[in-house]
Amino acid sequence: MTLRIGVIGTGAIGRDHARRIQQVLSGGEIVALSDVNRASAEAVRADIAPNAEVFATGEELVDSPKVDAVLVTSWGTTHEQYVLAAIAAGKPCFCEKPLATTAEGARRIVDAEVARGKRLVQVGFMRRYDAGYVALKDAVRTHTGAPIMVHAAHRNPAVPEQYITPMAIHDTLIHEIDVFRWLLDDDYVSARVIFPRKAARSHGKLRDPQIVVLETARGVVIDVEIFVNCHYGYDIQCEVVGEDGIARLPEPMAIQMRLDAKLQNAILTDWKDRFVASYDVELQDFLKAAKLGTASGPTSWDGYMAAVTSDACVQAQERDGEAVAIRTPARPALYA
Ligand code: NAI
Ligand code: ISE
């Protein structure tokens, strides 16, 4: 059986995921597309999915009997309405991060899925599928001893003018927020944000860089540098310090060159290339579960806990280095 998939939001990542499903992965076909900018959906149909129907609204796409499962890849503020529509229709739904832009919105999704009584939602936290993070988690489990600290960095070469200070949390740090909960199998209890001097390439409405310090229930302290105008490349770093040793996230493969009296390795510049393989693996996992009418991988609960944490981090941005408490509510049995 081929799973018939509809994509809502056909911008950068929606187009890329549609390409994956049509050209790389097995078991799915893009049969429906929708975007508030209809021309964008038409262009994806022309370039990637010639048999797809373009729908005027995401809700019509979700309700179409032609569609078995849905990918939500529109702007973050619009995710909640489409995920709730997919749950109401009983259709498996892959939702790009963030699940919702507020904790309340993510909680409404959790409640709707729990009321439905089965998992239907996978959140696009693709780092859990990255071979480097999987190996790092294994090294922490088998070699470093109990973790004490994590040092991390999330650096983008540049961001557009619309990218403002809180987006460093809910658009960018959200990947670390999720992947460290998963890596350490722990929940957060507090967040602090420290601002060094503003970098010269930062914009008027963006304080960049920033350092977020998260503490977990087991007392692990995580510092993450977010520097989204770092200029030199797209660079994701992570080092876990444990009782017995240290484990580092591997660098992406790069040819080492001896040129012009220098030893050189290229650094990536685009997020699309850094986790390209993990996007493939996460979506193949989605297709597999969706064929069975359910979902696997990162849950709505993970999306909710990421939203709770990112709300606390955004509050901490206003608190001048002071800690903001993070509380973990009781987890519904569906996500045990
Ligand atoms: P984009 O701006 O390139 O594309 C978003 C598309 O959604 C646009 O074509 C826009 O017209 C459309 N859209 C906006 N509101 C809509 C609505 N109400 N209904 C239907 N379509 C609507 O943005 P991009 O970079 O593709 O990001 C989309 C989502 O994917 C965001 O939530 C972002 O955080 C996430 N993302 C995840 C990444 C990852 O590494 N997992 C990487 C990049 C983005
Ligand atoms: C973007 O939306 C992503 O998800 C990328 O992975 C991240 O590195 C970037 O900072 C975000 O803007």
Side-chain angles (χ1 to χ4, degrees):
M1 164 210 165
T2 299
L3 196 75
R4 299 167 307 165
I5 297 167
V7 180
I8 304 174
T10 52
I13 206 156
R15 167 180 273 268
D16 212 30
H17 285 344
R19 173 195 61 77
R20 291 195 158 83
I21 286 169
Q22 289 293 96
Q23 300 171 2
V24 182
L25 308 180
S26 61
E29 184 189 357
I30 303 296
V31 299
L33 299 160
S34 182
D35 195 293
V36 281
N37 173 9
R38 192 180 172 99
S40 155
E42 302 277 5
V44 172
R45 175 173 63 181
D47 298 345
I48 295 172
N51 298 327
E53 180 177 346
V54 173
F55 285 81
T57 69
E59 281 82 2
E60 284 170 59
L61 177 151
V62 169
D63 286 337
S64 166
K66 287 184 185 165
V67 171
D68 301 318
V70 180
L71 302 192
V72 178
T73 48
S74 48
W75 294 326
T77 47
T78 67
H79 291 177
E80 181 188 347
Q81 73 192 78
Y82 297 131
V83 176
L84 287 174
I87 294 171
K91 296 185 182 179
C93 173
F94 173 91
C95 179
E96 259 310 334
K97 44 70 51 174
L99 178 60
T101 44
T102 62
E104 294 75 35
R107 183 75 217 200
R108 284 189 284 274
I109 291 173
V110 164
D111 292 343
E113 199 181 34
V114 168
R116 190 89 203 186
K118 71 167 173 174
R119 277 204 57 195
L120 287 169
V121 180
Q122 176 177 337
V123 183
F125 288 131
M126 77 297 179
R127 290 194 189 179
R128 294 182 181 212
Y129 292 91
D130 173 68
Y133 276 106
V134 170
L136 180 62
K137 185 171 163 92
D138 194 50
V140 169
R141 188 177 58 80
T142 55
H143 285 84
T144 62
I148 305 167
M149 291 177 284
V150 178
H151 307 299
H154 188 149
R155 304 192 186 110
N156 291 51
V159 288
E161 286 284 336
Q162 315 81 277
Y163 186 109
I164 55 175
T165 304
M167 289 177 72
I169 306 296
H170 47 69
D171 200 52
T172 297
L173 180 76
I174 194 135
H175 287 295
E176 275 78 15
I177 289 175
D178 178 69
V179 85
F180 296 146
R181 258 187 85 240
W182 166 84
L183 182 74
L184 302 170
D185 194 16
D186 207 347
D187 276 305
Y188 301 116
V189 294
S190 75
R192 269 178 292 154
V193 178
I194 297 162
F195 289 100
R197 77 164 175 80
K198 193 166 156 176
R201 286 191 180 84
S202 186
H203 319 130
K205 291 191 177 149
L206 173 63
R207 287 182 72 183
D208 182 47
Q210 36 193 297
I211 297 168
V212 178
V213 181
L214 291 162
E215 192 180 346
T216 74
R218 292 201 192 101
V220 179
V221 172
I222 303 163
D223 59 273
V224 190
E225 170 203 314
I226 311 160
F227 190 8
V228 293
N229 286 291
C230 81
H231 189 63
Y232 73 85
Y234 182 75
D235 196 7
I236 303 299
Q237 296 290 325
C238 175
E239 179 179 274
V240 181
V241 180
E243 295 283 353
D244 304 322
I246 290 173
R248 276 193 79 86
L249 183 70
E251 295 287 342
M253 193 186 75
I255 297 296
Q256 195 178 68
M257 291 181 287
R258 285 168 161 78
L259 288 173
D260 301 329
K262 292 192 187 96
L263 195 56
Q264 303 179 353
N265 288 79
I267 295 178
L268 295 173
T269 55
D270 191 336
W271 55 260
K272 283 203 195 81
D273 302 323
R274 176 65 179 85
F275 292 106
V276 66
S278 54
Y279 295 122
D280 289 349
V281 186
E282 71 169 353
L283 278 179
Q284 191 66 69
D285 197 32
F286 174 71
L287 295 177
K288 189 173 158 207
K291 276 191 187 181
L292 304 172
T294 185
S296 63
T299 64
S300 297
W301 183 256
D302 297 320
Y304 170 57
M305 287 316 302
V308 167
T309 307
S310 67
D311 281 2
C313 292
V314 170
Q315 279 178 39
Q317 286 180 328
E318 306 293 324
R319 296 264 187 98
D320 208 16
E322 213 181 283
V324 172
I326 303 171
R327 290 181 221 301
T328 301
R331 189 195 299 236
L334 184 63
Y335 309 109

